[in-house]
Amino acid sequence: MPIQIRKLDSSQDGFQQSLDTLLAFEAGTDAAIEASVANILADVKTRGDAAVLEYTNRFDRIPHGGAAEMAAFDISQAELQAALNGLPSAQREALQIAAQRIRAFHERQREELRGFTYTEPDGTVLGQKITPLDRVGIYVPGGKAAYPSSVLMNAIPAHVAGVAEIIMVVPTPDGVKNQMVLAAAAIAGVTRVITIGGAQAVGALAYGTQTIAAVDKIVGPGNAYVAAAKRRVFGIVGIDMIAGPSEILVLCDGTTDPDWVAMDLFSQAEHDELAQAILLCPDADYIAQVEESIAKLLPTMPRQATISTSLQDRGALIKVRSMEEACEIANAIAAEHLEISADNPQQWAERIRHAGAMFLGRFSSESLGDYCCGPNHVLPTSRTARFSSPLGVYDFQKRSSIIHVSEAGAQTLGRVAATLAYGEGLQAHARSAELRLKPQP
Amino acid sequence: MPIQIRKLDSSQDGFQQSLDTLLAFEAGTDAAIEASVANILADVKTRGDAAVLEYTNRFDRIPHGGAAEMAAFDISQAELQAALNGLPSAQREALQIAAQRIRAFHERQREELRGFTYTEPDGTVLGQKITPLDRVGIYVPGGKAAYPSSVLMNAIPAHVAGVAEIIMVVPTPDGVKNQMVLAAAAIAGVTRVITIGGAQAVGALAYGTQTIAAVDKIVGPGNAYVAAAKRRVFGIVGIDMIAGPSEILVLCDGTTDPDWVAMDLFSQAEHDELAQAILLCPDADYIAQVEESIAKLLPTMPRQATISTSLQDRGALIKVRSMEEACEIANAIAAEHLEISADNPQQWAERIRHAGAMFLGRFSSESLGDYCCGPNHVLPTSRTARFSSPLGVYDFQKRSSIIHVSEAGAQTLGRVAATLAYGEGLQAHARSAELRLKPQP
């Protein structure tokens, strides 16, 4: 049966409502998962290593009756290096090139944010100091969703920021280790790799145990248990965004090979049945050509079942009035990945206010950015690009304000502060400022 | 009965445990509040204005039988301006000076973050674009905790960031408006003021109603209902940190007038019985002098009941071995406000990695920073300065990655991406990169 993708037209009645329905996605919360995660976290907080050991042996089906002590879950730097050396040379070189490019881009981010101080005429100094976090945890999923590219994208920004300790956790169900993931850890600047996962790993990182030091922030994707655990420990440690399904929005002026656009839509749809791939184009004939390309190419894809479900359930081919209108709709969608596959793409990019990452021109396929262009592939999903940013070096840094008031400054500022403090009924605030005033002559 | 403040000594056994106990604070969650907030949010999401109107009339005891329509809750720009004009001139000028200084500091933040692009030798362009949020909501508490300084500190960074619409909500229990709060809104760049509050206001801002456009982020302090509502809508909109009790940590080398230090501790303790004020000093005699100052000055304070409870329950005077050790302990505490009241404070500031704001030198009382130095007074509490920052312009901006791969770039990057994509089992990603490769000659 041929694939049926939703087709919309922005000039038709009810378009806005159809678009809203298409975009609507709310991550459900599962009470059973929540309860289970709450128990595991409380147990890890109380019993530490003993709890982590038990849960890991059980949930990850560690062979030979399970590990007897936590040390069994540590992977040495030598083993990481051996994993890198053992890869086929094409894979090893690809990982190294990707890591080098990701590092180069993120070093630009670090250079941008240097802090500042300035001195006022009365000698008062004000400023902002930038410091890295001391210690962070990187969660890396195990099993079939183990992605070495995620290791690079999460660990390298922390390393570039100057984080002294980067602790990576990665579960190894049935004791099976992914060599590419270990190799990625070897080149990303990871300090320590521990083969634990799930809510127990999140708890260990957040609270610390006898053998694992508590971290300041936990980043990285995970399943529903990991996401629920991260939400619960937020505040005790920092966390990154809880990612929703991945999305691509392609704006095309009808001048790109339709096979390319079809494959770009597939590249998002193959991630997940809930992934969302949408095309906006002012040219109805071109949309028909993309449809033909989809029908032609889909049978050649190993993950065609996932792609079909994703495209049929959540995809859309949308005819718009103009590229200008496409840009407006793109701002409302605020997509994670936005491809502007068009001649002179810069003219349209200037109109875009909200997107996680913009891929300009027909050679900038999203997949290049996923692996090796340099910018991060951890991006805001589910319209959160309206208010949040790609993962970056700045996520592993924080600012402290610097206030050094001179004696002269305290005279003028003290009167202002005291007036406002009395106005708010905070007399100790006012007195604290007034004590610094010199007696009037 | 004289006040009893906990005294600790870092050289004594069990000090670390005593310190951990002192710092331990976990915000409780109240099931009744959670349930009530969930209902209110669901109702506002479904019924919009009608629900907001009902809750506001009821919870805020709006006089004369309540308002008949939402428009009654809007405050015009003319009324805001009239509030400013009606203030005593000292208050008006103090607000204006504070606003001007806060604006000047935050403009430095905006200048620091300008985005970047760079072009690689093969013509590939990479970069990072900075854009403001479109629309934000500022929550301002009503009643006795209505602080005009909070209006300035929350709204000005958004305005400096270039946010087009800044919607402030402030409940007016019993219909009573705080003129200083309205005056602050007049000079902070607020677009619209609506006299609603509680979970219903958070819901209106997050989901939008017939008369209130949905915002992209909600910032500002509030009671337990407001905090619970913000947590629940997080993800649909951005939120700032949920603040814990306020804290001050004073590092003193024993050279500051002890009355000044005592009053600085009071200025934090007067906020709240849960507020925390701690002194670290290597000089036992000086600590005794501060204790005497506390005993002498406390009876003069209008808020002495709150100050006493706070100091007795959560305060401490800690004798340390040296200023060097004081800095180490300060890094472990990661205080919201850190005063370094010492000669040559810069030498100690260089050792500090974690603090919301640092106040250097004996003239830099925290109260000056609370009102008018320029840096923000919304700061990370409860040790979250380990991983988070003061509220700033950057909280109202976000980044989008820019990736413009040249045809030549696609040839080299495509091979790297395809190798990694095949390694991860994502064939559509690989094919999407390969389609951009030119046929080999």
Side-chain angles (χ1 to χ4, degrees):
Chain A
M1 200 173 90
I3 179 170
Q4 295 292 331
I5 308 183
R6 188 184 287 99
K7 291 174 79 170
L8 302 177
D9 185 325
S10 67
S11 66
Q12 292 193 332
D13 284 351
F15 168 70
Q16 186 58 49
Q17 202 182 335
S18 302
L19 184 64
D20 290 346
T21 305
L22 178 69
L23 299 175
F25 177 82
E26 216 163 321
T29 51
D30 180 314
I33 290 179
E34 291 292 327
S36 166
V37 164
N39 281 335
I40 293 170
L41 289 178
D43 198 16
V44 169
K45 189 176 180 185
T46 309
R47 295 199 298 135
D49 282 341
V52 176
L53 194 62
E54 281 174 29
Y55 290 119
T56 304
N57 283 335
R58 190 195 323 164
F59 295 146
D60 292 340
R61 303 172 303 277
I62 302 302
H64 313 301
E69 51 183 21
M70 286 295 291
F73 298 132
D74 262 84
I75 299 193
S76 69
Q77 291 288 337
E79 186 175 346
L80 301 181
Q81 195 58 47
L84 179 62
N85 297 340
L87 289 183
S89 66
Q91 280 192 355
R92 185 172 63 243
E93 279 158 28
L95 268 184
Q96 282 166 332
I97 292 168
Q100 185 181 27
R101 293 185 58 86
I102 295 165
R103 190 172 295 275
F105 181 82
H106 288 79
E107 279 169 357
R108 299 277 178 149
Q109 290 183 334
R110 186 188 56 199
E111 282 160 30
E112 186 182 33
L113 202 61
R114 306 180 71 90
F116 57 83
T117 60
Y118 60 98
T119 305
E120 302 193 311
D122 65 18
T124 294
V125 176
L126 300 174
Q128 185 167 281
K129 179 177 178 176
I130 314 283
T131 43
L133 277 60
D134 281 348
R135 191 184 295 124
V136 304
I138 311 276
Y139 192 96
V140 177
K144 57 182 176 172
Y147 292 145
S149 59
S150 277
V151 176
L152 302 183
M153 293 292 184
N154 281 278
I156 290 176
H159 194 242
V160 170
V163 173
E165 283 184 66
I166 301 173
I167 302 179
M168 174 175 138
V169 294
V170 53
T172 51
D174 302 305
V176 178
K177 297 170 185 171
N178 180 317
Q179 295 302 306
M180 265 185 105
V181 164
L182 300 190
I187 57 181
V190 170
T191 318
R192 181 179 176 193
V193 177
I194 314 174
T195 57
I196 59 175
Q200 57 275 19
V202 173
L205 291 170
Y207 304 123
T209 70
Q210 294 85 343
T211 63
I212 302 173
V215 302
D216 300 306
K217 188 165 189 169
I218 302 174
V219 301
N223 63 18
Y225 288 85
V226 173
K230 280 170 65 181
R231 274 190 188 276
R232 278 185 180 267
V233 298
F234 175 56
I236 299 163
V237 295
I239 62 168
D240 57 353
M241 298 287 296
I242 306 288
S246 196
E247 314 142 15
I248 190 171
L249 178 66
V250 181
L251 264 64
C252 185
D253 62 1
T255 62
T256 303
D257 184 329
D259 283 0
W260 295 16
V261 168
M263 194 61 75
D264 293 355
L265 298 173
F266 289 178
S267 75
Q268 200 54 238
E270 76 173 339
H271 270 297
D272 183 353
E273 292 176 353
L274 288 172
Q276 185 157 56
I278 298 176
L279 170 66
L280 297 180
C281 178
D283 180 343
D285 290 341
Y286 181 79
I287 291 176
Q289 291 172 41
V290 172
E291 243 187 323
E292 284 170 31
S293 292
I294 289 173
K296 174 185 73 182
L297 295 170
L298 185 58
T300 71
M301 301 314 304
R303 296 168 78 100
Q304 61 178 284
T306 305
I307 296 171
S308 297
T309 305
S310 160
L311 289 182
Q312 294 197 125
D313 289 357
R314 303 208 68 222
L317 306 175
I318 303 178
K319 160 83 171 66
V320 290
R321 293 183 183 86
S322 62
M323 284 296 282
E324 287 80 358
E325 187 189 36
C327 292
E328 284 171 37
I329 295 172
N331 280 322
I333 293 178
E336 182 190 14
H337 304 100
L338 174 67
E339 277 188 19
I340 302 182
S341 201
D343 286 335
N344 190 7
Q346 191 56 42
Q347 66 181 312
W348 310 122
E350 281 163 16
R351 295 169 180 255
I352 300 298
R353 297 194 310 282
H354 311 304
M358 292 187 233
F359 297 80
L360 310 187
R362 63 187 105 267
F363 286 98
S364 306
S365 72
E366 186 216 304
S367 60
L368 299 180
D370 282 346
Y371 289 106
C372 60
C373 286
N376 212 287
H377 78 192
V378 181
L379 297 167
T381 59
S382 307
R383 300 192 64 231
T384 60
R386 290 175 296 129
F387 55 83
S388 54
S389 301
L391 188 71
V393 171
Y394 37 82
D395 287 301
F396 301 99
Q397 298 174 311
K398 69 276 189 318
R399 301 160 171 96
S400 300
S401 300
I402 303 288
I403 297 176
H404 193 163
V405 179
S406 67
E407 184 169 359
Q411 309 309 305
T412 51
L413 294 176
R415 290 184 174 84
V416 173
T419 300
L420 293 172
Y422 284 123
E424 293 185 352
L426 295 173
Q427 297 89 355
H429 282 69
R431 293 291 303 136
S432 170
E434 288 175 341
L435 285 175
R436 270 84 175 176
L437 299 179
K438 282 188 275 200
Q440 298 282 3
Chain B
M1 202 175 85
I3 180 172
Q4 295 292 332
I5 308 181
R6 186 183 290 97
K7 290 173 79 171
L8 301 177
D9 185 326
S10 67
S11 65
Q12 292 193 330
D13 285 351
F15 168 70
Q16 187 57 50
Q17 201 182 338
S18 302
L19 184 64
D20 290 345
T21 305
L22 177 69
L23 299 176
F25 177 82
E26 217 163 321
T29 51
D30 181 316
I33 291 179
E34 291 291 327
S36 167
V37 164
N39 279 335
I40 293 169
L41 289 178
D43 198 16
V44 170
K45 189 175 178 185
T46 309
R47 295 198 299 134
D49 282 342
V52 176
L53 194 62
E54 281 174 30
Y55 290 119
T56 304
N57 283 335
R58 191 196 321 165
F59 296 146
D60 292 341
R61 302 172 303 277
I62 302 301
H64 313 301
E69 52 183 22
M70 286 294 292
F73 298 131
D74 262 82
I75 299 192
S76 69
Q77 290 287 337
E79 186 175 347
L80 301 180
Q81 195 58 46
L84 179 63
N85 296 340
L87 289 183
S89 65
Q91 280 190 356
R92 185 172 62 243
E93 280 159 27
L95 267 185
Q96 282 167 332
I97 291 168
Q100 185 181 27
R101 292 185 60 86
I102 295 164
R103 189 172 297 275
F105 181 83
H106 288 80
E107 280 169 357
R108 298 275 178 151
Q109 289 183 334
R110 187 189 54 200
E111 283 160 31
E112 187 183 31
L113 202 60
R114 306 180 71 90
F116 57 83
T117 60
Y118 60 97
T119 305
E120 302 194 312
D122 66 16
T124 294
V125 176
L126 301 173
Q128 184 169 282
K129 178 177 178 176
I130 314 283
T131 43
L133 277 61
D134 281 348
R135 190 184 295 123
V136 304
I138 311 277
Y139 192 96
V140 177
K144 57 181 176 171
Y147 293 143
S149 59
S150 277
V151 176
L152 302 183
M153 292 291 184
N154 280 279
I156 289 176
H159 194 242
V160 169
V163 174
E165 282 184 67
I166 302 173
I167 302 179
M168 173 175 138
V169 294
V170 53
T172 52
D174 302 305
V176 178
K177 296 171 186 171
N178 180 317
Q179 295 301 304
M180 265 185 103
V181 164
L182 300 190
I187 58 181
V190 171
T191 317
R192 180 178 177 194
V193 176
I194 314 174
T195 58
I196 59 175
Q200 58 275 17
V202 173
L205 291 170
Y207 304 123
T209 70
Q210 294 84 345
T211 64
I212 302 173
V215 303
D216 300 305
K217 187 166 189 168
I218 302 174
V219 300
N223 63 18
Y225 289 86
V226 173
K230 280 169 66 181
R231 273 189 188 277
R232 277 183 182 269
V233 298
F234 174 55
I236 300 164
V237 295
I239 62 168
D240 57 354
M241 298 286 296
I242 307 287
S246 196
E247 315 142 14
I248 190 170
L249 178 66
V250 181
L251 263 63
C252 185
D253 62 359
T255 62
T256 304
D257 184 331
D259 283 1
W260 294 16
V261 168
M263 194 61 77
D264 292 355
L265 298 173
F266 289 179
S267 75
Q268 200 54 237
E270 76 172 340
H271 270 296
D272 182 352
E273 291 175 352
L274 288 173
Q276 185 157 57
I278 297 176
L279 170 66
L280 296 180
C281 178
D283 180 344
D285 290 343
Y286 181 79
I287 291 177
Q289 291 173 43
V290 172
E291 242 187 323
E292 285 170 30
S293 292
I294 289 173
K296 176 184 74 184
L297 295 170
L298 185 57
T300 71
M301 302 313 303
R303 297 168 77 99
Q304 60 178 283
T306 304
I307 295 171
S308 296
T309 306
S310 160
L311 289 182
Q312 294 197 126
D313 290 356
R314 303 209 67 223
L317 306 174
I318 303 179
K319 160 82 172 65
V320 290
R321 293 183 182 86
S322 63
M323 285 296 282
E324 287 80 358
E325 188 189 33
C327 291
E328 283 170 37
I329 295 172
N331 280 322
I333 293 178
E336 181 190 14
H337 304 99
L338 175 68
E339 277 188 19
I340 303 183
S341 200
D343 286 337
N344 189 7
Q346 192 57 42
Q347 66 181 314
W348 311 121
E350 281 162 15
R351 295 170 180 256
I352 300 299
R353 298 193 310 280
H354 311 303
M358 291 188 235
F359 297 80
L360 309 188
R362 62 188 105 267
F363 287 98
S364 306
S365 72
E366 186 217 302
S367 60
L368 299 181
D370 282 346
Y371 290 106
C372 59
C373 287
N376 212 287
H377 79 192
V378 181
L379 297 167
T381 59
S382 308
R383 301 193 62 231
T384 59
R386 290 174 296 127
F387 56 82
S388 55
S389 301
L391 188 73
V393 171
Y394 37 82
D395 287 302
F396 301 99
Q397 298 174 311
K398 69 282 190 310
R399 301 161 172 95
S400 300
S401 300
I402 303 287
I403 297 175
H404 192 162
V405 179
S406 67
E407 184 169 359
Q411 309 309 306
T412 51
L413 295 175
R415 290 185 175 83
V416 174
T419 300
L420 294 172
Y422 283 123
E424 293 185 352
L426 295 174
Q427 297 87 357
H429 283 67
R431 293 290 305 137
S432 169
E434 287 175 340
L435 285 175
R436 270 84 175 175
L437 299 179
K438 282 188 276 200
Q440 298 282 6

